[in-house]
Amino acid sequence: MAQVKICGLTRPEDLEAAAQAGARYAGLVFFPKSPRHLSIESAAALAGNAPDLLARVGLFVDPDDAALDAVLARVALDIIQLHGSESPARVAEIRARTRLPVMKAVGIAAPQDLDALWDYGLVADLLLVDAKPAPGAALPGGNGLAFDWRLLAGRRLLRPWMLAGGLTPDNVAEAVRLTGAPMVDVSSGVESAPGIKDADRIRRFVAAAGAKTGA
């Protein structure tokens, strides 16, 4: 039974749908190239209305200190998610600067990519195991791509971790069964259009992620 993060929330009604469905994490995107990007003002309003049981996660891509400071001065966040090419040293710097837990996304496409999970596990509080984007892709995540989940079967990581990449209400139960993921992350898999979540898909996704599955 996996906890759920709904990422790329842009509307109050979608935040409410995530909370009502039983999601544990709400993702707010601060990356201008993303169709789910929020202005600081919009993000502040959304974060301010999040229920207490819904952890607010701010997604950044290779942010400089000024960008982080501008958001954190206005938006109440519980976790920083780094989804770019940040080095382990930069992850540690951001963790120390913000004094917030940091989740680092690691893109996986082949077995050799798994080594980075150790390196980032030494400095991050959480890991997000995602599908590696195709070369030249405009977005580092949220592309609806999956990777071979069997690469994670039986693997123990240094930190708590989330599985992401191509998850939908129809495949998330199988993904949890194959990987043992304690948490899962979804964005495009519960959308009716980029940045527009579908309440029914959110409900079905959370229910499927929490369903008990056989071996």
Side-chain angles (χ1 to χ4, degrees):
M1 301 177 70
Q3 293 183 341
V4 173
K5 172 173 172 275
I6 306 295
C7 197
L9 294 166
T10 62
R11 306 184 302 170
E13 56 265 40
D14 298 338
L15 179 71
E16 179 65 20
Q20 290 290 332
R24 181 65 183 84
Y25 302 88
L28 309 178
V29 175
F30 300 97
F31 182 52
K33 292 182 179 180
S34 171
R36 304 165 187 94
H37 171 68
L38 291 171
S39 67
I40 291 177
E41 293 73 18
S42 296
L46 273 181
N49 289 319
D52 291 340
L53 294 178
L54 201 58
R56 299 158 296 189
V57 182
L59 186 157
F60 298 84
V61 177
D62 298 308
D64 58 22
D65 290 344
L68 287 167
D69 292 348
V71 170
L72 292 175
R74 296 281 306 279
V75 185
L77 296 177
D78 301 299
I79 300 170
I80 300 292
Q81 177 179 334
L82 299 175
H83 216 109
S85 57
E86 303 88 0
S87 67
R90 179 57 176 157
V91 172
E93 287 175 3
I94 289 173
R95 186 174 182 269
R97 180 181 182 83
T98 64
R99 298 184 180 181
L100 288 173
V102 172
M103 178 193 308
K104 179 64 179 90
V106 178
I108 303 296
Q112 58 266 30
D113 297 323
L114 297 170
D115 292 341
L117 294 171
W118 175 268
D119 297 332
Y120 286 109
L122 294 172
V123 293
D125 298 279
L126 302 99
L127 297 169
L128 181 74
V129 187
D130 199 359
K132 179 180 284 188
L139 301 178
N143 296 300
L145 300 175
F147 63 95
D148 186 353
W149 297 321
R150 293 171 296 181
L151 292 172
L152 293 172
R155 191 178 184 91
R156 299 186 66 179
L157 304 186
L158 287 175
R159 301 293 183 183
W161 62 284
M162 289 186 184
L163 179 67
L167 298 177
T168 70
D170 297 323
N171 68 14
V172 66
E174 179 68 2
V176 171
R177 185 187 73 81
L178 285 174
T179 64
M183 297 175 280
V184 289
D185 181 296
V186 66
S187 184
S188 60
V190 292
E191 289 181 339
S192 56
I196 305 299
K197 303 302 192 239
D198 180 278
D200 180 63
R201 292 180 192 178
I202 289 175
R203 284 192 296 270
R204 291 194 294 114
F205 186 91
V206 175
K212 293 181 180 180
T213 57

